[in-house]
Amino acid sequence: MPGQKFGPAWFPGLIAVGLILCGVLLAARSQRDVLVAFPDWFRSTRAVAGVASVIAGLLFYVVAADKLGFYLTALAIQIVWMRILGASWRLTLPVAVIATVVIHLSFYKLLRIPLPWGILERFAF
């Protein structure tokens, strides 16, 4: 929106800061717990893939949201995240589509925060 300091990267940036803060707090909580638990967690392929997918999804949103738009980027991110978590395609596709629409309407109608349309802009209005 004209006159505002926040762009489409603000929301994923806020999530990234929150994840970093949680990681720092967990690491500072107890050296003994971290030293004992970290190697077990690090050996889990699913856990490492989950963390990597969150970071990659946030970066993808920041880079692609303006060009592709919120709908396409959010849909792609949710599909990848749900598949990494082990959801079936029968569950993944409808949930990702419904969640993307609900999130967009929540931002657009309730919070009055416009999200980028990207290549779908010509169909938006």
Side-chain angles (χ1 to χ4, degrees):
M1 290 181 72
Q4 287 190 346
K5 298 177 183 177
F6 305 111
W10 183 79
F11 184 64
L14 184 63
I15 292 173
V17 168
L19 289 172
I20 291 168
L21 180 62
C22 288
V24 168
L25 291 174
L26 285 172
R29 187 175 124 198
S30 169
Q31 283 292 4
R32 187 178 76 91
D33 288 347
V34 171
L35 292 175
V36 171
F38 183 74
D40 292 339
W41 172 86
F42 192 69
R43 282 186 230 127
S44 168
T45 306
R46 179 171 253 164
V48 172
V51 171
S53 71
V54 168
I55 294 168
L58 292 171
L59 291 174
F60 176 69
Y61 182 85
V62 169
V63 170
D66 280 337
K67 292 193 191 275
L68 294 177
F70 173 79
Y71 276 104
L72 296 178
T73 54
L75 188 63
I77 291 168
Q78 289 182 64
I79 288 171
V80 169
W81 284 349
M82 289 179 70
R83 293 296 292 162
I84 286 174
L85 289 173
S88 68
W89 282 107
R90 278 182 77 192
L91 177 68
T92 297
L93 292 177
V95 168
V97 169
I98 291 168
T100 300
V101 172
V102 168
I103 292 168
H104 184 264
L105 290 176
S106 298
F107 272 82
Y108 189 72
K109 295 288 185 183
L110 297 175
L111 301 174
R112 300 190 191 277
I113 299 172
L115 296 172
W117 284 97
I119 60 176
L120 298 176
E121 187 169 9
R122 63 181 169 192
F123 305 109
F125 302 105

